[in-house]
Amino acid sequence: MPGCGRRPSPPAVQALIRDGRDGEAHRLVAELADGIARRDAPAARAALLTCRALLTATDGPQTGAGGADALHAAATDAWAALERPYEAAYVREAWGLRLLAAGAAGGRTVLHEAIAAYQDIDAVWDVLRCQRGLREHGQVTVRRPGALGYGDHLSPRERAVARLASLGLSNREIARELVLSHRTVEHHVARALRKLGVSSRTEIGSQLGP
């Protein structure tokens, strides 16, 4: 996941937490907060929200589930607003694993949401990492044939995007309708055109079938 130049990145903070170096993690996040104070830096602020969400794993009971939920949701929304689907999925993954580790309800669902988001952008290795996380927490995963690659066939999400494109919706309208980033929709449309063997959106409908 991209960091913030020389500023501490969420993966660096996560690595410190994983190594039990909570104090260093907190200092890094404080450094990031000071570094971007009063600056117009949306990506850095999204990274700061992500770091603070990650730190809830070190706070114990003083940060209730509601507060941790709110931080993770805010970080996800911040990345989505920047049309950075990978980073948004990263936050969902971290939160899903946190919930599973705590034995809290909803962890499996959140992690599956992260998997779906990674699949939307063809982040295969990230999908595999999430699936490994599920297995490590005793959650059985069933990998359907072709779940990570549909070859020359449209994936369910590509088909949904193509269907809306064939109806005349713009990429931004499709993004709002399916709650995706504009960039992700662009990728899906391009792949759909290639797989269907057509050169324009107006030709999609005749190739999709009923």
Side-chain angles (χ1 to χ4, degrees):
M1 174 178 170
C4 307
R6 293 187 178 181
R7 301 189 184 100
S9 67
V13 171
Q14 190 173 44
L16 288 172
I17 294 171
R18 188 167 51 245
D19 292 342
R21 298 155 66 185
D22 298 353
E24 290 181 56
H26 279 273
R27 284 193 295 275
L28 273 181
V29 177
E31 176 187 326
L32 174 58
D34 289 342
I36 66 173
R38 295 178 296 280
R39 292 187 183 180
D40 183 16
R45 294 193 181 282
L48 177 59
L49 281 170
T50 303
C51 290
R52 286 175 170 165
L54 294 173
L55 284 179
T56 60
T58 72
D59 292 342
Q62 60 263 39
T63 300
D69 277 337
L71 277 170
H72 283 82
T76 302
D77 290 345
W79 289 121
L82 293 170
E83 296 190 355
R84 301 274 287 268
Y86 181 88
E87 286 83 352
Y90 174 91
V91 178
R92 300 299 293 172
E93 176 189 355
W95 182 226
L97 291 172
R98 168 86 172 93
L99 290 172
L100 285 174
R108 180 184 174 92
T109 298
V110 173
L111 201 51
H112 274 290
E113 290 172 354
I115 289 172
Y118 282 137
Q119 287 176 330
D120 280 342
I121 54 176
D122 294 330
V124 175
W125 292 110
D126 299 280
V127 170
L128 294 174
R129 186 181 61 250
C130 289
Q131 291 177 334
R132 184 173 64 249
L134 283 168
R135 291 193 297 272
E136 289 173 351
H137 288 90
Q139 303 292 322
V140 177
T141 61
V142 178
R143 179 178 171 182
R144 300 186 308 275
L148 299 181
Y150 291 84
D152 291 331
H153 300 285
L154 296 181
S155 70
R157 184 54 59 88
E158 287 167 351
R159 180 169 292 277
V161 169
R163 177 70 65 190
L164 293 176
S166 73
L167 295 176
L169 274 69
S170 69
N171 286 352
R172 292 199 179 279
E173 289 170 332
I174 295 171
R176 286 196 297 270
E177 181 72 21
L178 298 179
V179 195
L180 299 172
S181 74
H182 181 257
R183 188 174 304 170
T184 298
V185 171
E186 287 181 343
H187 291 325
H188 283 322
V189 171
R191 284 196 294 267
L193 290 172
R194 176 178 56 80
K195 290 181 179 182
L196 293 172
V198 298
S199 58
S200 70
R201 300 162 78 101
T202 57
E203 300 175 77
I204 290 176
S206 62
Q207 298 298 318
L208 279 179

